[in-house]
Amino acid sequence: MRKPIAGLVILSAFILCSCGGRVKNNSISEGVITYDITYDSAIQSRYDAWLLPSELIVRFNSNHSINSIEALGGAISISIIKNPERNEFSTLLKIFNKKLYHSEPIEQERYPALYSRMPAVKLISEGETCEFLGYSCTKVKGYFADNPDFRFEIIYTSQIQIENPNAHTPFEEVKGTLLQFNIRLNNLTMHATARSVKSEHVPLELFAPPSDYVVTDSQTIANLIYTLQQ
């Protein structure tokens, strides 16, 4: 059996839509979003469940964000840090005892290493409003640019205040914080659905590579991430 440490992301994808509940009156600019990651039955039948990431965590504060996902009980993890003060993205990769990172300037039409092989997501509807986890949201249909026949649902909100949250990612057309979406990395599609959104303090010191990570180049990071998906 092939054993991918599949689709370790930020990122930058969700399939279950459960809109409903009381809309929150106040937006938030600092906190933590926790997503459940699920897979189609075809994926589940091909891979051992314990190898597949099951959770994505996004922490944000003052337009800074860090998206983290783990596999093998945390032995393998990938994080993407967006730091607007430094005008840079940092991609962090931990594989057992090896800890690497690459930082690059935030530039137009340039994706961080994690998304370098992921096609852009295109929207095909103007959207409708719904409520999700108590937030006022927009629900649209989208597809990956290289496969317009496979359409999936996207839910996003403007009540979570992260400026241009999807800039420089395959989701640039989505003008809000994603709460439900799909991610496709190599031959693996993941469905991510937000389970909770909590307003809590997230220290700005978190949005920088840890001191025990070693700097490397973008291609090395991209190649390692690609290999983990095989």
Side-chain angles (χ1 to χ4, degrees), residues 61-161:
N61 181 359
S62 303
N63 297 322
H64 298 63
S65 63
I66 177 169
N67 307 344
S68 302
I69 192 169
E70 297 181 347
L72 295 178
I76 296 177
S77 68
I78 293 177
S79 299
I80 294 181
I81 299 172
K82 181 181 179 181
N83 190 319
E85 288 185 357
R86 299 184 180 185
N87 191 44
E88 71 179 16
F89 285 110
S90 295
T91 301
L92 281 59
L93 174 61
K94 183 181 78 168
I95 306 176
F96 298 100
N97 293 326
K98 178 176 284 189
K99 298 179 179 180
L100 304 172
Y101 81 92
H102 174 73
S103 296
E104 53 196 303
I106 298 174
E107 296 178 351
Q108 194 68 23
E109 300 181 356
R110 180 180 176 86
Y111 291 172
L114 178 63
Y115 302 123
S116 62
R117 292 184 171 95
M118 181 175 166
V121 172
K122 301 296 182 181
L123 305 184
I124 55 178
S125 64
E126 293 184 0
E128 59 183 272
T129 59
C130 72
E131 298 169 12
F132 190 89
L133 293 180
Y135 290 93
S136 177
C137 298
T138 300
K139 178 169 60 175
V140 299
K141 291 288 187 180
Y143 63 89
F144 295 110
D146 64 347
N147 189 8
D149 293 331
F150 177 71
R151 300 178 179 183
F152 53 90
E153 197 163 76
I154 297 170
I155 296 177
Y156 63 93
T157 182
S158 60
Q159 288 190 297
I160 299 173
Q161 296 180 3

Side-chain angles (χ1 to χ4, degrees), residues 10-60:
I10 174 17
L11 302 137
S12 29
F14 307 71
I15 195 129
L16 302 176
C17 177
S18 177
C19 292
R22 185 177 178 182
V23 175
K24 300 178 186 296
N25 293 322
N26 298 321
S27 59
I28 63 173
S29 59
E30 181 180 11
V32 179
I33 309 172
T34 303
Y35 302 83
D36 290 322
I37 298 175
T38 59
Y39 304 87
D40 291 337
S41 57
I43 296 295
Q44 293 175 334
S45 66
R46 289 167 57 194
Y47 304 123
D48 294 331
W50 67 281
L51 289 172
L52 298 171
S54 61
E55 189 175 78
L56 165 68
I57 297 177
V58 176
R59 297 175 174 85
F60 59 97

